[in-house]
Amino acid sequence: MSGPFRVWLLQIPADGAEAWRDALSQACADAGWDFAVHNRHAPAPMPHPERSMLVVSWLHHIDAHPVTHYLVQAGAPGEAAGILAQEDETAQGELLRDVSLRYAVADFLTRLHTPFIPADAAVMNVPGLGDVHCSPNRPLRSTSHPEPALDIFERLPIPIGVQATWGPELFDYADPGADSRTGRLSLVGRRRLLFNGPHIHLPKGIWRFEGSFSIDPGGDADLLIEWGYGHDVQSLPVVIGQAGRYEVVLEQAWSDVMNADFRISLMTPLLEGTMTFHGGTVTRLPDAPAEAG
């Protein structure tokens, strides 16, 4: 290509990421390139009009920033979760949302055939800069923070059929008396949202959620079960009058990187009754075939 290179590297936190930044910074200095690190909430570094530039960023580029080539580098989701947990003591829900957002964007880029470089790779080919080597002798932080809820991100791009289990503890419960560890809650009271979540980001594609709950309604429980994001959901209205364990399967297409929201609402007041949400499994399904035109 003619003109300066504008390379944007989406680098998800992993053991060895800092060593890679050092190696890339040195390679840029040797080649007369500009090098910058773009952190959260910081303005995007703007390139010099006549010099090539490599930006290592926490997420996708800012629209105003010109980019000629993208790269993605990541390790295991557990590494990213562990590193971010050490850097910022946030609640588990916020941590999962942060990590999943980064991987969902990485999935989007790798599905566009953006080169993917494992975090433990010894060499990275940077367009215009060539092969950059990272010393394998640099010590690693050996960080681990296993998160089964993020299992769908173990490989990029995310394969069709990949699954993750989302337990009841990952969801948000509207009533203060609900037990978030077990998913047990009371149905007594007015029409309301009972629970929703886990707000983990999913990339564009078709996703299925298979959830289960036990209920003792003490009458007819008029429920609305939804799966999707915001108003773009697959809905299942159901009236349950018999105690037992029930399973529900819903499928919804994500048109962009958005939160995942499985929710159950009580649509009419009840004077008695309990429910226990057992969690569920999320699965990536094949994309719908394009319509012939």
Side-chain angles (χ1 to χ4, degrees), residues 91-105:
Q92 184 191 33
E94 289 296 328
L95 179 66
L96 295 178
R97 285 189 280 274
D98 188 332
V99 175
S100 64
L101 173 60
R102 299 172 192 242
Y103 277 93
V105 173

Side-chain angles (χ1 to χ4, degrees), residues 18 28 49 51 58 101 133 136 142 147 170 173 251:
E18 293 180 6
C28 286
R51 290 196 298 269
W58 78 282
L101 173 60
H133 297 267
S142 300
E147 287 292 353
L170 300 179
Y173 298 85
E251 297 177 2

Side-chain angles (χ1 to χ4, degrees), residues 46-124:
M46 297 305 294
H48 187 281
E50 298 179 358
R51 290 196 298 269
S52 293
M53 185 177 195
L54 169 63
V55 177
V56 179
S57 178
W58 78 282
L59 201 60
H60 199 251
H61 84 283
I62 308 300
D63 289 340
H65 189 288
V67 175
T68 61
H69 298 82
Y70 288 100
L71 299 171
V72 173
Q73 186 179 47
E79 291 181 16
I83 292 170
L84 291 174
Q86 289 182 358
E87 294 177 350
D88 186 7
E89 294 183 359
T90 58
Q92 184 191 33
E94 289 296 328
L95 179 66
L96 295 178
R97 285 189 280 274
D98 188 332
V99 175
S100 64
L101 173 60
R102 299 172 192 242
Y103 277 93
V105 173
D107 174 79
F108 166 77
L109 290 174
T110 54
R111 285 188 177 274
L112 296 177
H113 306 292
T114 297
F116 172 75
I117 303 94
D120 59 357
V123 61
M124 178 188 304

Side-chain angles (χ1 to χ4, degrees), residues 104-105 107-109 111-112 200-207 227-234 251-261 284-285 287-288:
V105 173
D107 174 79
F108 166 77
L109 290 174
R111 285 188 177 274
L112 296 177
I200 289 173
H201 287 87
L202 296 177
K204 181 179 179 180
I206 302 176
W207 295 88
W227 166 239
Y229 172 77
H231 298 290
D232 190 9
V233 297
Q234 182 71 28
E251 297 177 2
Q252 178 65 12
W254 263 246
S255 59
D256 201 349
V257 174
M258 296 181 293
N259 293 339
D261 192 8
R284 185 168 206 163
L285 302 182
D287 293 336

Side-chain angles (χ1 to χ4, degrees), residues 114-138:
T114 297
F116 172 75
I117 303 94
D120 59 357
V123 61
M124 178 188 304
N125 184 268
V126 179
L129 192 62
D131 287 345
V132 178
H133 297 267
C134 185
S135 172
N137 298 322
R138 295 295 296 270

